[in-house]
Amino acid sequence: MHIEIKIREIRENKNVSLSQLSKITGISKSHISNIERGEKEPSISIIIRIALALHVDEKELYKIYF
């Protein structure tokens, strides 16, 4: 599974909207959307911010990314 699919899957399973995730992380909604569509690769710091906001272990996302 690709990281963009996993991020979207976790976000949707937790019923978190793009707007909510944007507010929590400080990452623009368009940037998160671009990551989820595979148009942008997230940096490590972005992965950490998203993982913290979604209350998941960032190692779960790292495994997919690397």
Side-chain angles (χ1 to χ4, degrees):
M1 181 179 291
H2 297 280
I3 192 161
E4 62 272 8
I5 295 168
K6 188 65 175 177
I7 289 171
R8 177 178 282 176
E9 178 184 280
I10 294 168
R11 181 180 62 75
E12 289 177 346
N13 286 340
K14 293 183 177 263
N15 294 315
V16 176
S17 70
L18 280 173
S19 294
Q20 290 170 319
L21 187 57
S22 175
K23 287 178 187 175
I24 295 166
T25 61
I27 303 165
S28 74
K29 189 168 84 170
S30 63
H31 190 70
I32 295 170
S33 179
N34 287 337
I35 290 169
E36 288 188 350
R37 289 193 315 269
E39 295 175 3
K40 298 243 182 201
E41 283 198 34
S43 66
I44 299 298
S45 64
I46 296 285
I47 292 172
I48 292 170
R49 288 162 62 186
I50 290 172
L52 290 172
L54 295 175
H55 304 287
V56 295
D57 186 352
E58 65 268 8
K59 292 175 191 166
E60 181 180 343
L61 296 179
Y62 286 152
K63 284 188 272 185
I64 298 164
Y65 190 63
F66 294 108

